[in-house]
Amino acid sequence: MTHPRSSLPRTISRRTAAVALVAVAGLLAAPAPSASAAPDRSGAAAAGAGALAAPDIPISNVKAHLAQFQSIATANGGNRAHGRTGYKASLDYVKAKLDAAGFTTTVQQFTYSGRTGYNLIADWPGEDANQVLMAGAHLDSVSSGAGINDNASGSAAVLETALAVSRAQLQPTKHLRFAWWGAEELGLVGSRYYVNSLTAADRARVSGYINLDMVGSPNPGYFVYDDDPAIEKVFKDWYAGIGVPTEIETEGDGRSDHASFKNVGIPVGGLFTGASRTKTAAQAATWGGTAGQAFDRCYHSSCDTTANINDTALDRNSDALAHAIWTLGTAEPLPPGESYENTTDVAIPDNAAAVTSALTVSGRTGNAPAALRVGVDIKHTWRGDLVLDLLAPDGTAYRLKNSSSSDSADNVITTYTVDASNETANGTWRLRVQDVAAQDTGYIDSWKLTF
């Protein structure tokens, strides 16, 4: 995970500086096979009926990958950083495993800071090219250490989940794609390069991206990204099923590769066990570990070795990822519903009273569904400033999104799911948006309800 943007003045960190990247000819992104039309992605990440149960991911296998990454770092100057021999050796190791397992792999090459970088993309053959489910992790370390928790842990969990797909000879309903990103530690360079290399149609085919960054912290917390409600629910439900409480992830907002996808409107989710923030007494009481100590005292340090891993956290997060891939990747898609949309722009004043955008639903009978989909497209330069509610015709408010001072990404482009089964379907529904902090403005571009 990269250093926090909050270390810069807020007025500076609103925008990430442009990065000049040079593609090497012949090595391209791995877009989905061409299709005649891109799908409507509203609710696309949600699981429908018929999902298969995931296998248990052997922690011994995941740790064997960590041992290999440690050996690679040790043999290559102590790190696996961008442009260094340790990074390329790490990529070659992962690629060989995937090639042997029957994946179609593509190495994407870019140049940053005068050094050659690489992304590795692995596609599981077949299934719906219009519905691509991705999972990924950054493969590079900082130059000061081997980067075993940050982020060999996520890389190994994604690799072993991909290999589990091969062992099961899984036949998902969605096309599965796995990715390992270069130069994340220098500002999400590799993942941003990949996303920018996709056409608009290819981006639209990605129904969801799941990110794993630092999932074996030695003093772990259990944090779930809250960006896409459907992906979030899959992870939260899995953890609830094993009796482990989770919290919303905020430390890594905008600081890992999911941000590259979220910034272009692709639904994202992920898992995290904490970096340099301190575990509170309440968190220690909930999860165990040591209060008053960082989740990872070796974050971005030379001591981030194989000794810097909590096996239980790594095991749980590996199994949770497999569960998400099987649940989201093998479920039958939700049937299309009738949509009602308002495309009139509504300005959102800075740090001021809430504004609303209305749309009228008519011609329906009975109540709204238990899975009413609320598609939101809001353009804003600091999405964490925003609080969103859906107002039913009778005025009942359904909270869609809370504010977060650490969520520095642009825009809210996602689909929420609301249990509106107590509400009459017909009537005037409203999206209410309030900006609760100063310095940034935006507008409601469009929003829609899908029944």
Side-chain angles (χ1 to χ4, degrees):
M1 187 171 70
T2 59
H3 286 292
R5 291 173 67 188
S6 57
S7 63
L8 298 173
R10 194 178 186 200
T11 54
I12 296 174
S13 63
R14 295 296 195 170
R15 297 289 179 185
T16 303
V19 176
L21 296 168
V22 180
V24 173
L27 292 172
L28 302 175
S34 60
S36 58
D40 178 359
R41 258 212 316 266
S42 59
L52 301 176
D56 178 73
I57 300 298
I59 185 61
S60 59
N61 291 8
V62 181
K63 292 193 70 178
H65 300 315
L66 296 186
Q68 288 296 320
F69 291 132
Q70 177 69 67
S71 295
I72 288 169
T74 301
N76 289 275
N79 67 71
R80 302 178 302 103
H82 164 72
R84 311 291 179 86
T85 55
Y87 179 79
K88 184 59 165 58
S90 297
L91 183 137
D92 290 343
Y93 169 77
V94 175
K95 184 178 186 299
K97 292 286 186 182
L98 296 164
D99 287 340
F103 283 83
T104 300
T105 59
T106 302
V107 176
Q108 184 183 48
Q109 189 169 323
F110 58 88
T111 299
Y112 179 74
S113 191
R115 294 178 180 267
T116 301
Y118 306 92
N119 295 324
L120 175 63
I121 313 298
D123 286 272
W124 185 238
E127 309 318 323
D128 186 0
N130 278 327
Q131 292 284 312
V132 180
L133 177 62
M134 291 188 68
H138 77 86
L139 188 56
D140 63 316
S141 73
V142 292
S143 60
S144 58
I148 299 303
N149 185 40
D150 185 14
N151 183 40
S153 64
S155 294
V158 173
L159 173 57
E160 193 55 33
T161 299
L163 297 179
V165 167
S166 174
R167 288 193 294 268
Q169 287 298 291
L170 187 65
Q171 296 182 347
T173 55
K174 293 180 180 177
H175 180 83
L176 300 182
R177 178 174 298 155
F178 299 89
W180 290 263
W181 309 116
E184 186 270 358
E185 296 290 4
L186 301 178
L188 321 183
V189 178
S191 58
R192 186 181 295 117
Y193 181 76
Y194 172 80
V195 169
N196 289 343
S197 73
L198 298 177
T199 66
D202 287 331
R203 291 178 183 176
R205 294 182 183 109
V206 181
S207 65
Y209 170 74
I210 298 170
N211 194 62
L212 265 66
D213 193 349
M214 301 182 66
V215 292
S217 300
N219 189 30
Y222 292 92
F223 299 100
V224 174
Y225 296 11
D226 66 340
D227 299 283
D228 179 74
I231 301 175
E232 177 189 1
K233 185 177 188 302
V234 168
F235 284 129
K236 290 176 72 173
D237 287 353
W238 186 86
Y239 266 105
I242 64 169
V244 176
T246 58
E247 291 184 10
I248 297 304
E249 193 283 316
T250 60
E251 185 179 7
D253 280 351
R255 293 171 54 191
S256 192
D257 294 298
H258 63 288
S260 299
F261 290 81
K262 182 168 72 173
N263 289 344
V264 296
I266 293 171
V268 302
L271 298 170
F272 179 61
T273 52
S276 58
R277 284 188 183 173
T278 300
K279 178 177 279 189
T280 67
Q283 289 169 330
T286 299
W287 293 322
T290 305
Q293 185 180 106
F295 294 104
D296 184 356
R297 291 187 295 175
C298 291
Y299 173 61
H300 282 188
S301 299
S302 60
C303 59
D304 188 8
T305 66
T306 50
N308 191 46
I309 291 290
N310 181 285
D311 288 0
T312 299
L314 183 64
D315 190 20
R316 287 171 173 171
N317 282 315
S318 299
D319 288 339
L321 174 62
H323 169 74
I325 294 297
W326 260 254
T327 300
L328 298 171
T330 69
E332 294 299 325
L334 289 172
E338 186 175 3
S339 293
Y340 303 78
E341 186 171 17
N342 185 336
T343 60
T344 302
D345 292 354
V346 176
I348 304 168
D350 186 28
N351 195 22
V355 296
T356 61
S357 175
L359 59 80
T360 299
V361 174
S362 61
R364 305 192 68 85
T365 59
N367 286 1
L372 177 65
R373 284 171 276 171
V374 187
V376 175
D377 186 342
I378 295 174
K379 303 300 193 296
H380 197 275
T381 51
W382 188 284
R383 58 169 278 161
D385 289 355
L386 301 180
V387 177
L388 277 62
D389 294 288
L390 175 68
L391 303 182
D394 66 359
T396 301
Y398 295 86
R399 178 56 51 89
L400 303 178
K401 176 189 176 301
N402 291 310
S403 62
S404 172
S405 61
S406 61
D407 187 354
S408 61
D410 294 347
N411 307 330
V412 182
I413 306 173
T414 191
T415 298
Y416 301 94
T417 302
V418 170
D419 183 354
S421 56
N422 291 328
E423 306 293 341
T424 301
N426 286 339
T428 300
W429 296 76
R430 291 177 172 82
L431 177 68
R432 182 172 66 191
V433 182
Q434 184 174 12
D435 185 325
V436 298
Q439 297 183 25
D440 286 84
T441 59
Y443 62 95
I444 302 171
D445 191 329
S446 65
W447 73 287
K448 66 181 178 180
L449 295 176
T450 304
F451 288 79

